[in-house]
């Protein structure tokens, strides 16, 4: 099993992530990329807080979905991009903290679908609390399929 990404897959994944306008809006960054794994972080900005002052579930979902998707992309062919087919979330605790960290990984990669999961943590001063788990399915898409 590969333990590091090829330079081409690493570059493709990072370039794809850079085109994610929502992740840019949320200030999200890639913390780690490996075959079948992706960890992202985003500060809990005022624009992403709900009425109780904690991170909105939309931020939690978007970060977890994106981490899981990019984990899947690292195992897809070089010419492929990734799209979510379905995603389920269990919100376990409020997103109270300075930032969210989402760790996505592939459970099983197939030619047509990949089963993925993500754990999302609220982080304050280096301490992390699990706030959500996601499970879903990703598919590879080509430029022709996207148009």
């Amino acid at each position: 099993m590969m333990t590091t990404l090829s330079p081409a897959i690493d570059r493709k994944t990072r370039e794809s992530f850079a085109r994610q306008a929502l992740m840019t809006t949320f200030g999200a960054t890639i913390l780690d990329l490996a075959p079948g794994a992706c960890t992202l972080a985003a500060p809990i900005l005022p624009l992403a807080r709900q009425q109780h002052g904690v991170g909105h579930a939309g931020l939690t979902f978007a970060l977890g979905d994106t981490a899981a998707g990019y984990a899947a992309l690292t195992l897809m062919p070089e010419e492929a991009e990734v799209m979510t087919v379905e995603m389920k979330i269990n919100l376990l605790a409020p997103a109270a903290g300075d930032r969210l960290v989402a760790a996505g990984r592939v459970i099983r990669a197939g030619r047509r679908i990949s089963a993925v999961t993500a754990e999302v943590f609220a982080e304050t001063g280096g301490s992390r609390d699990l706030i959500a788990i996601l499970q879903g399915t990703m598919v590879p898409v080509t430029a022709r399929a996207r148009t």
Side-chain angles (χ1 to χ4, degrees), residues 48-71:
R49 293 183 185 273
Q50 45 92 301
Q51 72 275 19
H52 300 292
V54 298
H56 194 282
L59 170 63
T60 303
F61 184 88
L63 203 63
D65 174 58
T66 303
Y70 282 110

Side-chain angles (χ1 to χ4, degrees), residues 43-115:
I44 303 175
L45 300 172
L47 65 83
R49 293 183 185 273
Q50 45 92 301
Q51 72 275 19
H52 300 292
V54 298
H56 194 282
L59 170 63
T60 303
F61 184 88
L63 203 63
D65 174 58
T66 303
Y70 282 110
L73 185 62
T74 66
L75 299 178
M76 291 181 180
E78 193 171 333
E79 68 277 5
E81 258 293 345
V82 66
M83 289 187 84
T84 304
V85 174
E86 57 85 28
M87 187 65 69
K88 174 199 183 312
I89 188 170
N90 289 99
L91 298 166
L92 307 173
D98 298 325
R99 73 176 186 165
L100 297 184
V101 176
R105 68 180 174 86
V106 175
I107 297 168
R108 182 163 191 248
R111 285 184 299 121
R112 295 190 183 179
I113 63 168
S114 293

